[in-house]
Amino acid sequence: MDLRKYSVSEFSEMLENEMKLNKEKCEKIAKYYEMKRDIKNDLEITYKIVAPVEKNVYYRRPLEMAYNYESTLWGMKEAQISSFTGVKNREYFVNTINYCRAKYIKEAIEEIIKIKSIPEENEFSIYSEQEFVLDSWMDYPKVYLLEEWPEEDCHYFHKIIPSAAGFMHFVMDGNTIMAGEEYIKSNIRKIRQRSW
């Protein structure tokens, strides 16, 4: 797992740039193919279709589906989104999905920090893939928010998953990302997103 550490501000800026870039790509595609599109509306519809999984629910089914059927599920989402927007262009679809994934990751990070942050007591940073790009839309980007409590010498990893099975985030159990991943695989039935 090739991960790099980012500051929250650096990573948030990358996500904002990703959202802007994908929205601009949608605009260029619509102009090139002379499609009369309300880009903002298309992005909103797409986000509702790939919406976050409800809070306080167990993630057994979404996680199993994300691990085993990601590419198949994106094909189903593509058909569903096309029926709502009327757009059949694959490139346009990929860019709307990438916009929505970046938006969700950014909002999830902001939500967790807003709820969990205690000034001068805990710190946050991000671990993600070395080259953070969302072009590989058939797989979800690996994003972990690290919550550290220096005085108590403890930390927690929050995993953020913008997958075709649903957009979700939850606290991982384990002192390292790898330990947390092993916990997820063996305890899928017990994992849930909390509203704190």
Side-chain angles (χ1 to χ4, degrees):
M1 193 180 300
D2 189 19
L3 300 174
R4 178 187 159 192
K5 186 176 182 178
Y6 298 90
S7 69
V8 172
S9 59
E10 178 187 13
F11 200 73
S12 293
E13 186 178 339
M14 289 166 62
L15 291 168
E16 284 173 12
N17 290 338
E18 198 66 37
M19 289 166 66
K20 183 181 175 185
L21 175 68
N22 282 289
K23 187 177 180 185
E24 287 172 353
K25 284 181 179 178
C26 287
E27 289 166 353
K28 286 178 183 175
I29 292 164
K31 186 177 179 181
Y32 181 80
Y33 290 104
E34 298 179 351
M35 300 186 300
K36 292 180 180 176
R37 304 301 317 150
D38 180 343
I39 308 293
K40 185 179 177 185
N41 187 56
D42 286 351
L43 293 172
E44 286 174 4
I45 289 171
T46 301
Y47 194 76
K48 286 175 182 173
I49 292 172
V50 296
V53 175
E54 290 293 322
K55 293 181 181 177
N56 281 325
V57 297
Y58 288 98
Y59 281 173
R60 179 185 175 194
R61 290 283 179 235
L63 281 171
E64 286 177 341
M65 290 167 72
Y67 284 134
N68 299 317
Y69 308 109
E70 188 74 357
S71 60
T72 303
L73 288 170
W74 277 127
M76 293 166 65
K77 293 284 185 187
E78 181 177 8
Q80 192 178 10
I81 291 163
S82 292
S83 70
F84 274 94
T85 62
V87 177
K88 306 292 184 191
N89 185 290
R90 166 58 65 89
E91 194 178 352
Y92 189 87
F93 167 74
V94 170
N95 288 306
T96 58
I97 291 297
N98 284 338
Y99 173 93
C100 292
R101 294 199 308 181
K103 178 182 177 182
Y104 175 73
I105 294 167
K106 186 174 184 298
E107 289 178 352
I109 290 168
E110 288 169 355
E111 178 191 17
I112 295 165
I113 291 174
K114 182 179 177 182
I115 293 167
K116 305 289 282 180
S117 179
I118 300 176
E120 298 180 17
E121 289 194 28
N122 60 356
E123 303 163 356
F124 296 88
S125 54
I126 312 285
Y127 283 85
S128 188
E129 288 151 317
Q130 194 71 20
E131 294 296 326
F132 180 77
V133 290
L134 298 175
D135 286 341
S136 178
W137 65 275
M138 297 291 267
D139 192 12
Y140 52 83
K142 289 158 184 69
V143 180
Y144 305 89
L145 174 65
L146 172 62
E147 173 190 350
E148 295 180 278
W149 296 77
E151 288 190 10
E152 297 178 24
D153 193 30
C154 68
H155 62 271
Y156 307 95
F157 285 101
H158 301 260
K159 184 168 186 177
I160 302 170
I161 305 178
S163 82
F167 290 2
M168 54 193 139
H169 63 83
F170 48 84
V171 179
M172 296 167 60
D173 192 8
N175 293 327
T176 65
I177 289 172
M178 291 303 291
E181 288 291 353
E182 287 303 314
Y183 174 82
I184 290 169
K185 286 172 186 172
S186 58
N187 293 276
I188 281 178
R189 290 172 185 266
K190 302 176 186 176
I191 295 169
R192 62 191 288 180
Q193 177 173 324
R194 305 184 194 283
S195 57
W196 291 290

